[in-house]
Amino acid sequence: VKDLNWWDLVRHDLYYLIYYELNNIRIIEPIKRNSLFVRLIFRLKSKMYCYYIFCIAFITRPDKIFLSFPRFSFRGIKSDYPIDYVVETYQNNKMRIDQSKFLLFGQSKAKISLLDSNELLERLNKRFNISLKIDMSSFINERISGYHNQLRFYKKIFKASNGKILIISQTGNQKGVFHAAAKYNLKTIEVQHGEICRNHPAYSYPK
């Protein structure tokens, strides 16, 4: 792998895997609980939403782009209140992308070797005295693909738009988005949506 721009995605999710294992919590990703038909429908909706966002960016040429991820629901209405408040202060030439409505699919040519991933799994199990049983190679490669999918998609969006400012409310591990914004010189502002402390894996970095 030529770079480690994707590492935060791996680090963040590995933290939670270890946390769940230490606390005997079993989590199944919601999308994997669904039937094949439901997953295919979701994938189709994701693609349609991505095309819709690209068309909006190309036609309206917004200079302010907001990325939200609604986490809260009140009376059936989902909201991302940190971003909701900021969006309301701007009246014109803006575009909002709801990241809860789609996933980015695709494979990356960058891969980590099976040998390296097995060694990492052994070290984690030994370090934390756990028995984590996952396909570490697939786990890491999915995050590598996730980074490159983000990078490709948002490069297209930012290039199609007249973007000057990107305002985002999400964890700091969206490096694909941030690097795409840097490529097209968008000033990036992250709206704080949670506590920044040493126990939060998205904000806690080793010295």
Side-chain angles (χ1 to χ4, degrees), residues 57-157:
F58 182 77
I59 294 170
T60 64
R61 306 280 289 175
D63 59 14
K64 291 174 285 293
I65 301 174
F66 299 87
L67 267 63
S68 66
F69 198 105
R71 298 171 176 79
F72 311 100
S73 181
F74 180 70
R75 294 180 179 176
I77 300 176
K78 291 185 177 181
S79 67
D80 183 352
Y81 66 85
I83 282 290
D84 293 342
Y85 176 78
V86 178
V87 170
E88 290 173 0
T89 65
Y90 292 95
Q91 300 301 319
N92 301 311
N93 206 19
K94 61 186 179 183
M95 180 178 76
R96 180 171 182 162
I97 300 176
D98 183 347
Q99 297 178 96
S100 70
K101 290 186 176 180
F102 68 101
L103 286 176
L104 297 171
F105 298 93
Q107 296 296 320
S108 169
K109 292 181 180 179
K111 299 289 182 184
I112 188 170
S113 73
L114 183 61
L115 179 63
D116 291 339
S117 58
N118 285 340
E119 181 182 355
L120 175 60
L121 182 60
E122 289 175 6
R123 289 190 178 193
L124 286 174
N125 283 332
K126 184 177 180 179
R127 169 66 177 81
F128 295 99
N129 193 26
I130 56 178
S131 299
L132 197 60
K133 295 181 177 65
I134 63 168
D135 184 343
M136 185 63 78
S137 181
S138 295
F139 177 87
I140 294 177
N141 288 329
E142 284 174 7
R143 274 74 190 167
I144 295 175
S145 291
Y147 165 78
H148 287 286
N149 292 338
Q150 275 188 3
L151 185 64
R152 283 193 298 266
F153 175 71
Y154 285 102
K155 272 185 177 180
K156 293 177 182 178
I157 297 299

Side-chain angles (χ1 to χ4, degrees), residues 176-187:
V177 177
F178 299 146
H179 290 152
K183 169 72 175 178
Y184 291 99
N185 300 313
L186 275 73
K187 182 180 292 185

